[in-house]
Amino acid sequence: MAAEMGKRQLLHYLTMSNLDTYRYGTRRQIFVTPTPYPTDEVIRSLELPGVALARKHLLILEPLRLDDIAGPRHVDWGSGFEYILLNGFPIEAISSRWPLELW
């Protein structure tokens, strides 16, 4: 899967309430996208739940360090594409040292 993506990394957008949730990775299934979105488009493009919760931060993940990636698939009711990390991701897959704030 990583070869298919070239050198593109995967992004997981975060709310203020879950900034520290993935600091050490996770074993839970999560959704990611290779597409960077401005803060005013991310919720609509990815059809994210909790529309009142702004996504102003993101984690950057390295596909070469991920297993069990499903996708890509078109986001139902949105305009973007997503991948599903079926078994989450290990801490080693986090490219950014901490969640990055979007402008």
XYZ file of all heavy atoms in Angstrom:
841
model
N 0.820 -1.191 0.000
C 0.000 0.000 0.000
C 0.864 1.255 0.000
O 0.559 2.218 -0.683
C -0.922 -0.009 1.215
C -1.820 1.187 1.316
S -3.056 1.356 0.025
C -4.027 -0.094 0.293
N 1.945 1.256 0.771
C 2.799 2.433 0.843
C 3.409 2.740 -0.519
O 3.554 3.903 -0.885
C 3.896 2.221 1.882
N 3.752 1.707 -1.297
C 4.313 1.924 -2.624
C 3.295 2.609 -3.530
O 3.642 3.473 -4.330
C 4.754 0.601 -3.222
N 2.025 2.239 -3.393
C 0.952 2.849 -4.184
C 0.830 4.340 -3.890
O 0.506 5.133 -4.755
C -0.371 2.153 -3.844
C -1.598 2.821 -4.394
C -2.865 2.177 -3.860
O -2.940 0.939 -3.827
O -3.771 2.927 -3.462
N 1.113 4.738 -2.670
C 0.962 6.130 -2.260
C 2.172 6.984 -2.597
O 2.127 8.196 -2.415
C 0.698 6.190 -0.762
C -0.578 5.492 -0.380
S -0.952 5.745 1.328
C -1.198 7.507 1.309
N 3.250 6.366 -3.063
C 4.459 7.141 -3.309
C 5.021 7.622 -1.997
O 5.105 6.883 -1.036
N 5.374 8.879 -1.912
C 5.936 9.429 -0.679
C 4.911 10.217 0.132
O 5.261 10.918 1.069
C 7.126 10.313 -1.009
C 8.263 9.533 -1.617
C 9.482 10.382 -1.772
C 10.552 9.583 -2.448
N 11.547 9.086 -1.561
N 3.629 10.092 -0.239
C 2.591 10.816 0.489
C 2.351 10.191 1.848
O 2.303 8.983 1.993
C 1.293 10.819 -0.305
C 1.412 11.616 -1.580
C 0.131 11.670 -2.310
N -0.768 12.607 -1.637
C -1.994 12.844 -2.051
N -2.477 12.220 -3.100
N -2.756 13.702 -1.413
N 2.192 11.034 2.841
C 1.887 10.561 4.181
C 0.392 10.631 4.407
O -0.349 11.233 3.633
C 2.667 11.385 5.196
C 4.170 11.163 5.019
C 4.980 11.924 6.013
O 4.791 13.101 6.202
N 5.895 11.231 6.666
N -0.054 9.990 5.469
C -1.475 9.958 5.787
C -1.766 10.907 6.942
O -0.961 11.038 7.872
C -1.906 8.537 6.134
C -1.831 7.561 4.970
C -2.028 6.132 5.449
C -2.864 7.922 3.910
N -2.907 11.545 6.877
C -3.287 12.551 7.863
C -4.516 12.095 8.638
O -5.460 11.576 8.050
C -3.606 13.871 7.153
C -2.558 14.367 6.165
C -3.067 15.594 5.426
C -1.244 14.642 6.851
N -4.466 12.311 9.935
C -5.634 12.055 10.795
C -5.948 13.366 11.508
O -5.148 13.869 12.294
C -5.339 10.946 11.800
C -6.504 10.654 12.682
N -7.654 10.049 12.230
C -6.708 10.914 13.997
C -8.510 9.936 13.218
N -7.959 10.456 14.305
N -7.110 13.927 11.198
C -7.518 15.212 11.759
C -8.063 15.030 13.171
O -8.779 14.079 13.441
C -8.557 15.875 10.847
C -7.949 16.325 9.541
C -7.903 15.468 8.447
C -7.387 17.583 9.415
C -7.318 15.870 7.253
C -6.806 17.992 8.224
C -6.776 17.134 7.151
O -6.189 17.530 5.976
N -7.728 15.979 14.056
C -8.052 15.876 15.476
C -8.872 17.057 15.972
O -8.719 18.186 15.488
C -6.761 15.838 16.301
C -5.779 14.712 15.987
C -4.423 15.020 16.596
C -6.322 13.412 16.499
N -9.708 16.797 16.965
C -10.403 17.864 17.686
C -9.549 18.235 18.899
O -8.623 17.501 19.275
C -11.786 17.398 18.169
O -11.593 16.351 19.131
C -12.648 16.900 17.033
N -9.865 19.347 19.528
C -9.135 19.741 20.741
C -9.269 18.673 21.826
O -8.344 18.435 22.581
C -9.653 21.083 21.272
C -9.205 22.278 20.461
S -7.420 22.527 20.480
C -7.175 23.059 22.159
N -10.421 18.014 21.887
C -10.653 17.037 22.948
C -9.900 15.724 22.746
O -9.774 14.942 23.676
C -12.150 16.753 23.097
O -12.652 16.184 21.910
N -9.392 15.459 21.547
C -8.644 14.210 21.375
C -7.191 14.429 20.941
O -6.580 13.547 20.358
C -9.379 13.234 20.448
C -9.439 13.674 18.997
O -8.892 14.699 18.616
N -10.108 12.887 18.187
N -6.623 15.570 21.277
C -5.229 15.860 20.913
C -4.246 14.824 21.457
O -3.292 14.470 20.790
C -4.809 17.246 21.405
C -5.285 18.424 20.585
C -4.779 19.725 21.199
C -4.852 18.314 19.145
N -4.461 14.365 22.662
C -3.517 13.424 23.287
C -3.927 11.962 23.130
O -3.208 11.076 23.568
C -3.356 13.742 24.771
C -2.604 15.041 24.987
O -1.768 15.392 24.132
O -2.850 15.706 26.003
N -5.052 11.704 22.506
C -5.587 10.352 22.404
C -4.642 9.385 21.700
O -4.526 8.231 22.085
C -6.942 10.367 21.667
O -7.825 11.222 22.374
C -7.540 8.980 21.564
N -3.957 9.853 20.678
C -3.139 8.961 19.846
C -1.644 9.164 20.036
O -0.848 8.742 19.217
C -3.515 9.145 18.378
C -4.975 8.889 18.128
C -5.833 9.934 17.812
C -5.504 7.612 18.233
C -7.184 9.703 17.592
C -6.849 7.377 18.016
C -7.675 8.422 17.697
O -9.005 8.188 17.493
N -1.255 9.793 21.114
C 0.160 10.102 21.365
C 1.058 8.859 21.312
O 2.192 8.924 20.871
C 0.302 10.772 22.715
C 1.744 11.061 23.080
C 1.824 11.796 24.354
N 1.352 13.155 24.070
C 1.469 14.148 24.904
N 2.001 13.958 26.076
N 1.034 15.341 24.594
N 0.537 7.725 21.741
C 1.318 6.484 21.771
C 0.811 5.458 20.762
O 1.045 4.268 20.911
C 1.318 5.894 23.179
C 1.876 6.866 24.186
C 1.043 7.547 25.067
C 3.237 7.145 24.220
C 1.555 8.463 25.965
C 3.757 8.058 25.115
C 2.913 8.716 25.989
O 3.418 9.635 26.877
N 0.088 5.954 19.744
C -0.504 5.049 18.770
C -1.849 4.556 19.279
O -2.343 5.008 20.308
N -2.435 3.636 18.561
C -3.717 3.064 18.967
C -3.894 1.717 18.287
O -3.299 1.464 17.238
C -4.902 3.986 18.607
O -6.113 3.400 19.100
C -5.031 4.194 17.104
N -4.702 0.871 18.871
C -5.065 -0.409 18.264
C -6.470 -0.332 17.676
O -6.953 -1.267 17.084
C -4.992 -1.532 19.296
C -3.688 -1.590 20.055
C -2.610 -2.473 19.552
N -3.005 -3.844 19.400
C -2.601 -4.586 18.386
N -1.807 -4.093 17.486
N -2.971 -5.828 18.277
N -7.128 0.812 17.877
C -8.481 1.017 17.358
C -8.433 1.373 15.873
O -7.503 2.032 15.416
C -9.168 2.171 18.099
C -9.479 1.854 19.538
C -10.153 2.990 20.281
N -10.974 3.829 19.433
C -11.087 5.144 19.579
N -10.423 5.768 20.514
N -11.869 5.834 18.792
N -9.441 0.992 15.159
C -9.584 1.353 13.750
C -9.750 2.870 13.639
O -10.531 3.462 14.384
C -10.812 0.659 13.186
C -11.151 1.036 11.777
C -12.371 0.286 11.294
O -12.344 -0.930 11.219
N -13.435 0.998 11.007
N -9.006 3.500 12.725
C -9.185 4.939 12.493
C -9.163 5.218 10.993
O -8.667 4.413 10.196
C -8.132 5.804 13.213
C -6.740 5.596 12.632
C -8.128 5.570 14.703
C -5.780 6.693 13.018
N -9.679 6.380 10.642
C -9.742 6.815 9.254
C -8.694 7.892 9.017
O -8.495 8.762 9.864
C -11.140 7.367 8.944
C -12.212 6.323 9.054
C -12.741 5.969 10.280
C -12.672 5.669 7.925
C -13.720 4.996 10.387
C -13.655 4.695 8.013
C -14.179 4.359 9.250
N -8.052 7.830 7.862
C -7.012 8.789 7.497
C -7.195 9.176 6.029
O -7.915 8.507 5.283
C -5.607 8.203 7.723
C -5.344 7.948 9.201
C -5.402 6.918 6.931
N -6.529 10.233 5.632
C -6.568 10.677 4.245
C -5.187 11.189 3.843
O -4.451 11.677 4.701
C -7.625 11.793 4.047
O -7.688 12.150 2.665
C -7.320 13.022 4.875
N -4.831 11.094 2.574
C -3.580 11.686 2.124
C -3.754 13.163 1.757
O -2.789 13.842 1.445
C -3.230 10.856 0.885
C -4.546 10.434 0.346
C -5.429 10.240 1.551
N -4.978 13.657 1.826
C -5.296 14.994 1.336
C -5.289 16.031 2.448
O -6.040 15.900 3.414
C -6.690 14.993 0.671
O -6.755 13.928 -0.267
C -6.957 16.319 -0.025
N -4.470 17.075 2.313
C -4.540 18.169 3.291
C -5.717 19.082 2.966
O -5.927 19.443 1.811
C -3.206 18.907 3.097
C -2.768 18.562 1.723
C -3.376 17.236 1.365
N -6.495 19.405 3.984
C -7.647 20.292 3.821
C -7.489 21.489 4.738
O -6.988 21.354 5.854
C -8.948 19.578 4.223
C -9.354 18.486 3.293
C -9.117 17.150 3.625
C -9.985 18.758 2.082
C -9.493 16.128 2.773
C -10.366 17.734 1.224
C -10.121 16.434 1.575
O -10.490 15.430 0.731
N -7.976 22.660 4.309
C -8.037 23.791 5.239
C -9.102 23.511 6.295
O -10.022 22.721 6.073
C -8.417 24.980 4.357
C -8.893 24.422 3.069
C -8.406 22.998 2.971
N -8.982 24.149 7.438
C -9.890 23.864 8.554
C -11.358 24.067 8.207
O -12.209 23.377 8.735
C -9.548 24.716 9.787
O -9.585 26.102 9.423
C -8.182 24.376 10.334
N -11.661 24.984 7.295
C -13.066 25.231 6.967
C -13.635 24.222 5.969
O -14.820 24.254 5.679
C -13.259 26.658 6.450
C -12.482 26.950 5.177
O -11.476 26.282 4.917
O -12.896 27.870 4.437
N -12.818 23.300 5.464
C -13.290 22.304 4.508
C -13.181 20.861 5.002
O -13.792 19.969 4.435
C -12.524 22.419 3.190
C -12.800 23.676 2.425
C -12.025 23.739 1.121
O -11.658 22.671 0.596
O -11.790 24.859 0.658
N -12.408 20.616 6.032
C -12.112 19.246 6.439
C -13.361 18.466 6.863
O -13.533 17.310 6.467
C -11.009 19.198 7.523
C -11.471 19.787 8.841
C -10.515 17.787 7.720
N -14.234 19.057 7.640
C -15.422 18.334 8.126
C -16.332 17.964 6.966
O -16.783 16.832 6.841
C -16.169 19.153 9.199
C -15.300 19.254 10.450
C -17.514 18.519 9.531
C -15.829 20.184 11.507
N -16.583 18.904 6.072
C -17.465 18.654 4.936
C -16.835 17.664 3.943
O -17.483 16.750 3.464
C -17.796 19.973 4.232
C -18.695 19.821 3.032
C -18.999 21.151 2.339
N -17.787 21.819 1.871
C -17.318 22.961 2.361
N -17.957 23.583 3.328
N -16.220 23.500 1.892
N -15.568 17.825 3.655
C -14.903 16.967 2.665
C -14.805 15.522 3.116
O -14.925 14.603 2.305
C -13.509 17.512 2.360
O -13.592 18.787 1.779
N -14.573 15.313 4.411
C -14.431 13.956 4.928
C -15.685 13.464 5.640
O -15.701 12.356 6.173
C -13.217 13.878 5.863
C -11.881 14.182 5.194
C -10.763 14.184 6.225
C -11.591 13.197 4.071
N -16.724 14.300 5.658
C -18.001 13.949 6.301
C -17.756 13.409 7.722
O -18.167 12.318 8.097
C -18.784 12.947 5.458
C -20.216 12.763 5.858
C -21.033 14.049 5.850
O -20.770 14.938 5.030
O -21.928 14.158 6.689
N -17.055 14.216 8.517
C -16.687 13.819 9.870
C -17.852 14.010 10.835
O -18.649 14.940 10.682
C -15.483 14.635 10.342
C -14.204 14.428 9.527
C -13.132 15.399 9.993
C -13.722 13.004 9.618
N -17.948 13.156 11.836
C -18.997 13.317 12.853
C -18.680 14.506 13.753
O -17.544 14.963 13.813
C -18.936 12.008 13.622
C -17.536 11.549 13.456
C -17.100 12.005 12.090
N -19.671 14.970 14.464
C -19.460 16.073 15.398
C -19.109 17.363 14.684
O -18.051 17.934 14.911
N -20.012 17.823 13.817
C -19.715 19.002 12.996
C -19.417 20.246 13.821
O -18.784 21.174 13.327
C -20.846 19.289 11.980
C -20.975 18.157 11.000
C -22.160 19.551 12.683
N -19.838 20.277 15.071
C -19.557 21.435 15.924
C -18.126 21.404 16.474
O -17.670 22.384 17.051
C -20.551 21.485 17.073
N -17.436 20.291 16.288
C -16.079 20.147 16.812
C -15.066 20.420 15.702
O -14.877 19.612 14.801
C -15.871 18.734 17.352
C -16.818 18.300 18.460
C -16.634 16.824 18.770
C -16.611 19.151 19.698
N -14.417 21.565 15.770
C -13.445 21.944 14.747
C -12.258 20.989 14.741
O -11.832 20.495 15.785
C -12.962 23.367 14.999
N -11.760 20.699 13.562
C -10.545 19.882 13.403
C -9.416 20.818 13.020
O -9.187 21.102 11.866
C -10.716 18.851 12.302
C -11.629 17.649 12.471
C -12.340 17.510 13.749
N -13.073 16.249 13.833
C -14.385 16.166 13.806
N -15.126 17.240 13.659
N -14.976 15.004 13.931
N -8.709 21.328 14.037
C -7.649 22.297 13.793
C -6.261 21.723 14.015
O -5.275 22.450 13.995
C -7.854 23.526 14.672
C -9.110 24.290 14.290
C -9.194 25.599 15.010
C -10.416 26.362 14.528
N -10.466 27.705 15.042
N -6.187 20.415 14.243
C -4.906 19.750 14.442
C -4.902 18.435 13.679
O -5.952 17.894 13.354
C -4.668 19.463 15.932
C -4.521 20.705 16.733
N -5.599 21.444 17.175
C -3.418 21.351 17.170
C -5.162 22.492 17.857
N -3.850 22.456 17.863
N -3.712 17.935 13.400
C -3.621 16.640 12.730
C -2.362 15.902 13.124
O -1.391 16.491 13.576
C -3.708 16.793 11.214
C -2.682 17.648 10.481
C -1.391 16.919 10.230
C -3.264 18.101 9.166
N -2.437 14.585 12.966
C -1.275 13.713 13.093
C -0.838 13.346 11.688
O -1.672 13.126 10.814
C -1.633 12.423 13.824
C -1.703 12.453 15.324
C -2.117 11.075 15.847
C -0.377 12.854 15.934
N 0.455 13.249 11.499
C 0.984 12.809 10.221
C 1.559 11.413 10.423
O 2.383 11.192 11.318
C 2.069 13.770 9.718
C 1.481 15.172 9.553
C 2.652 13.269 8.399
C 2.485 16.228 9.194
N 1.108 10.478 9.592
C 1.513 9.078 9.731
C 2.274 8.611 8.502
O 1.948 8.977 7.376
C 0.275 8.198 9.935
C -0.595 8.562 11.137
C -1.870 7.746 11.137
C 0.171 8.366 12.430
N 3.272 7.787 8.726
C 4.131 7.241 7.678
C 3.568 5.899 7.207
O 3.561 4.924 7.961
C 5.546 7.056 8.224
C 6.502 6.404 7.276
C 6.615 7.146 5.968
O 6.936 8.348 5.990
O 6.353 6.518 4.924
N 3.095 5.809 5.958
C 2.493 4.567 5.451
C 3.417 3.355 5.494
O 2.953 2.234 5.660
C 2.119 4.901 4.010
C 2.036 6.375 3.956
C 3.015 6.882 4.974
N 4.722 3.566 5.361
C 5.662 2.439 5.387
C 5.659 1.709 6.728
O 6.083 0.569 6.815
C 7.080 2.915 5.072
C 7.330 3.348 3.632
C 8.718 3.965 3.500
C 7.167 2.169 2.689
N 5.178 2.364 7.766
C 5.162 1.769 9.110
C 3.770 1.279 9.525
O 3.531 1.021 10.695
C 5.702 2.765 10.123
C 7.142 3.139 9.845
C 7.665 4.055 10.913
N 9.033 4.416 10.686
C 10.083 3.769 11.197
N 9.888 2.726 11.958
N 11.305 4.166 10.949
N 2.872 1.179 8.553
C 1.496 0.774 8.845
C 1.182 -0.583 8.249
O 1.663 -0.919 7.170
C 0.518 1.804 8.276
C 0.630 3.214 8.842
C -0.229 4.165 8.039
C 0.238 3.236 10.306
N 0.374 -1.344 8.949
C -0.133 -2.626 8.464
C -1.650 -2.517 8.337
O -2.274 -1.659 8.955
C 0.196 -3.750 9.448
C 1.698 -3.976 9.568
O 2.394 -3.905 8.550
O 2.147 -4.226 10.702
N -2.219 -3.419 7.570
C -3.677 -3.526 7.464
C -4.361 -2.207 7.101
O -5.188 -1.686 7.841
C -4.275 -4.083 8.762
C -3.770 -5.482 9.047
O -3.581 -6.245 8.086
O -3.567 -5.795 10.230
N -3.968 -1.668 5.935
C -4.588 -0.457 5.415
C -5.614 -0.863 4.367
O -5.296 -1.577 3.423
C -3.547 0.472 4.765
C -2.438 0.831 5.748
C -4.223 1.734 4.235
C -1.291 1.606 5.115
N -6.846 -0.410 4.547
C -7.898 -0.666 3.555
C -8.178 0.623 2.792
O -8.177 1.703 3.367
C -9.171 -1.146 4.248
N -8.402 0.514 1.499
C -8.734 1.682 0.699
C -7.793 1.814 -0.478
O -7.008 0.902 -0.740
N -7.899 2.904 -1.171
C -8.695 4.082 -0.861
C -10.154 3.882 -1.226
O -10.497 2.992 -1.992
C -8.076 5.166 -1.757
C -7.583 4.419 -2.943
C -7.135 3.084 -2.416
N -10.977 4.728 -0.638
C -12.395 4.735 -0.982
C -12.900 6.169 -0.928
O -12.351 7.003 -0.196
C -13.205 3.831 -0.077
C -13.376 4.351 1.327
C -14.254 3.448 2.155
N -14.580 4.086 3.421
C -15.355 3.563 4.321
N -15.876 2.369 4.135
N -15.622 4.198 5.440
N -13.929 6.429 -1.716
C -14.554 7.741 -1.726
C -15.369 7.901 -0.445
O -16.027 6.963 -0.008
C -15.467 7.880 -2.956
C -16.061 9.229 -3.082
N -17.321 9.530 -2.620
C -15.554 10.382 -3.584
C -17.568 10.801 -2.849
N -16.520 11.344 -3.431
N -15.305 9.063 0.166
C -16.060 9.333 1.385
C -17.531 9.512 1.032
O -17.886 10.401 0.252
C -15.534 10.603 2.088
C -16.387 10.946 3.304
C -14.079 10.437 2.480
N -18.383 8.636 1.582
C -19.824 8.772 1.367
C -20.288 10.134 1.864
O -19.936 10.547 2.957
C -20.597 7.687 2.128
C -20.370 6.306 1.534
O -20.011 6.210 0.346
O -20.549 5.318 2.273
N -21.038 10.825 1.083
C -21.619 12.129 1.390
C -20.589 13.235 1.473
O -20.912 14.373 1.768
C -22.465 12.092 2.665
C -23.472 11.011 2.639
C -23.451 9.862 3.366
C -24.639 10.929 1.833
N -24.523 9.070 3.065
C -25.277 9.715 2.106
C -25.208 11.768 0.878
C -26.448 9.319 1.496
C -26.381 11.366 0.265
C -26.986 10.161 0.580
N -19.323 12.928 1.259
C -18.277 13.940 1.252
C -17.678 14.047 -0.137
O -18.212 13.506 -1.104
N -16.556 14.703 -0.240
C -15.903 14.856 -1.540
C -14.481 14.329 -1.538
O -13.783 14.430 -2.539
C -15.903 16.334 -1.949
O -15.197 17.098 -0.983
N -14.034 13.772 -0.420
C -12.662 13.323 -0.299
C -12.496 11.822 -0.436
O -13.448 11.086 -0.697
N -11.261 11.385 -0.260
C -10.908 9.965 -0.257
C -10.265 9.639 1.075
O -9.598 10.473 1.680
C -9.942 9.641 -1.399
C -10.617 9.668 -2.735
C -10.711 10.852 -3.446
C -11.189 8.526 -3.261
C -11.353 10.887 -4.670
C -11.835 8.551 -4.480
C -11.921 9.743 -5.188
N -10.493 8.404 1.522
C -9.957 7.994 2.813
C -9.408 6.574 2.752
O -9.719 5.812 1.836
C -11.036 8.075 3.890
C -12.182 7.092 3.677
C -13.338 7.294 4.634
O -13.270 8.187 5.500
O -14.321 6.553 4.518
N -8.581 6.282 3.727
C -8.086 4.937 3.976
C -8.525 4.583 5.395
O -8.739 5.472 6.223
C -6.560 4.877 3.907
C -6.003 5.067 2.531
C -5.777 6.332 2.006
C -5.667 3.966 1.746
C -5.250 6.507 0.738
C -5.135 4.131 0.470
C -4.938 5.409 -0.019
O -4.415 5.568 -1.274
N -8.618 3.302 5.667
C -8.956 2.850 7.013
C -7.776 2.061 7.549
O -7.309 1.119 6.909
C -10.215 1.961 7.008
C -11.378 2.687 6.348
C -10.576 1.549 8.443
C -12.548 1.787 6.038
N -7.285 2.456 8.704
C -6.239 1.697 9.392
C -6.978 0.701 10.272
O -7.462 1.045 11.353
C -5.346 2.624 10.213
C -4.701 3.780 9.446
C -3.772 4.560 10.359
C -3.979 3.287 8.206
N -7.113 -0.520 9.791
C -7.972 -1.517 10.421
C -7.556 -1.860 11.845
O -8.393 -2.156 12.684
C -8.024 -2.773 9.561
C -8.594 -2.557 8.152
C -8.422 -3.810 7.309
C -10.050 -2.137 8.231
N -6.249 -1.832 12.115
C -5.746 -2.141 13.456
C -5.019 -0.959 14.075
O -4.089 -1.130 14.854
C -4.819 -3.351 13.403
C -5.574 -4.598 13.010
O -6.621 -4.896 13.565
N -5.070 -5.317 12.024
N -5.412 0.249 13.684
C -4.765 1.434 14.233
C -3.360 1.602 13.707
O -3.057 1.219 12.575
N -2.480 2.144 14.554
C -1.097 2.385 14.147
C -0.186 2.368 15.368
O -0.595 2.734 16.468
C -0.974 3.723 13.406
C -1.375 4.909 14.240
C -0.447 5.578 15.017
C -2.688 5.355 14.259
C -0.810 6.667 15.794
C -3.071 6.441 15.025
C -2.120 7.094 15.795
N 1.081 1.971 15.184
C 2.038 1.997 16.297
C 2.631 3.397 16.450
O 2.587 4.216 15.521
C 3.109 0.998 15.851
C 3.097 1.115 14.361
C 1.654 1.348 13.991
N 3.209 3.664 17.578
C 3.826 4.965 17.842
C 4.900 5.278 16.793
O 5.095 6.433 16.420
C 4.385 5.048 19.279
C 4.808 6.486 19.613
C 5.502 4.043 19.480
C 5.188 6.693 21.056
N 5.561 4.257 16.285
C 6.634 4.456 15.301
C 6.121 5.012 13.971
O 6.899 5.532 13.177
C 7.377 3.135 15.030
C 8.094 2.568 16.233
C 7.163 1.788 17.171
O 6.074 1.363 16.741
O 7.532 1.628 18.345
N 4.830 4.916 13.726
C 4.254 5.414 12.473
C 3.989 6.920 12.516
O 3.735 7.530 11.479
C 2.964 4.675 12.152
N 4.064 7.525 13.689
C 3.786 8.961 13.811
C 5.004 9.739 13.318
O 6.078 9.671 13.896
C 3.448 9.347 15.262
C 2.245 8.549 15.759
C 3.197 10.847 15.364
C 1.952 8.736 17.239
N 4.816 10.490 12.229
C 5.905 11.288 11.656
C 6.100 12.604 12.394
O 7.208 13.109 12.484
C 5.630 11.601 10.183
O 5.672 10.435 9.418
N 5.002 13.182 12.879
C 5.088 14.446 13.606
C 5.325 14.128 15.085
O 4.781 13.172 15.600
C 3.791 15.242 13.430
O 2.668 14.459 13.750
N 6.113 14.926 15.735
C 6.437 14.654 17.147
C 5.233 14.887 18.056
O 5.161 14.367 19.149
C 7.597 15.515 17.603
C 8.862 15.192 16.829
C 9.986 15.993 17.327
N 10.622 15.228 18.389
C 11.668 15.646 19.057
N 12.205 16.795 18.798
N 12.189 14.897 20.003
N 4.300 15.704 17.605
C 3.081 16.010 18.333
C 2.034 16.442 17.313
O 2.365 16.704 16.159
C 3.308 17.110 19.376
C 4.081 18.260 18.828
C 3.631 19.259 18.013
C 5.481 18.503 18.998
N 4.648 20.113 17.683
C 5.794 19.673 18.268
C 6.497 17.854 19.699
C 7.077 20.203 18.236
C 7.772 18.387 19.644
C 8.047 19.543 18.927
N 0.772 16.551 17.702
C -0.243 17.007 16.746
C 0.105 18.396 16.226
O 0.491 19.279 16.991
C -1.529 17.045 17.569
C -1.285 16.070 18.666
C 0.177 16.178 18.982
N 0.000 18.600 14.931
C 0.319 19.880 14.325
C -0.944 20.729 14.202
O -2.012 20.223 13.867
C 0.908 19.655 12.933
C 2.192 18.842 12.901
C 2.613 18.593 11.458
C 3.291 19.517 13.673
N -0.799 22.023 14.454
C -1.939 22.921 14.349
C -2.064 23.433 12.925
O -1.079 23.830 12.297
C -1.785 24.101 15.307
C -2.987 25.009 15.317
C -2.898 26.084 16.384
O -1.848 26.210 17.040
O -3.898 26.796 16.570
N -3.283 23.391 12.409
C -3.553 23.930 11.078
C -3.779 25.425 11.161
O -4.219 25.935 12.168
C -4.811 23.257 10.493
C -4.739 21.745 10.357
C -6.082 21.182 9.965
C -3.683 21.368 9.340
N -3.531 26.116 10.108
C -3.678 27.574 10.090
C -5.007 27.965 9.600
O -5.618 27.569 8.760
C -2.612 28.184 9.208
C -1.237 27.928 9.739
C -0.733 26.738 10.176
C -0.192 28.855 9.890
N 0.555 26.888 10.579
C 0.927 28.178 10.406
C -0.076 30.194 9.623
C 2.131 28.797 10.674
C 1.138 30.798 9.899
C 2.225 30.104 10.421
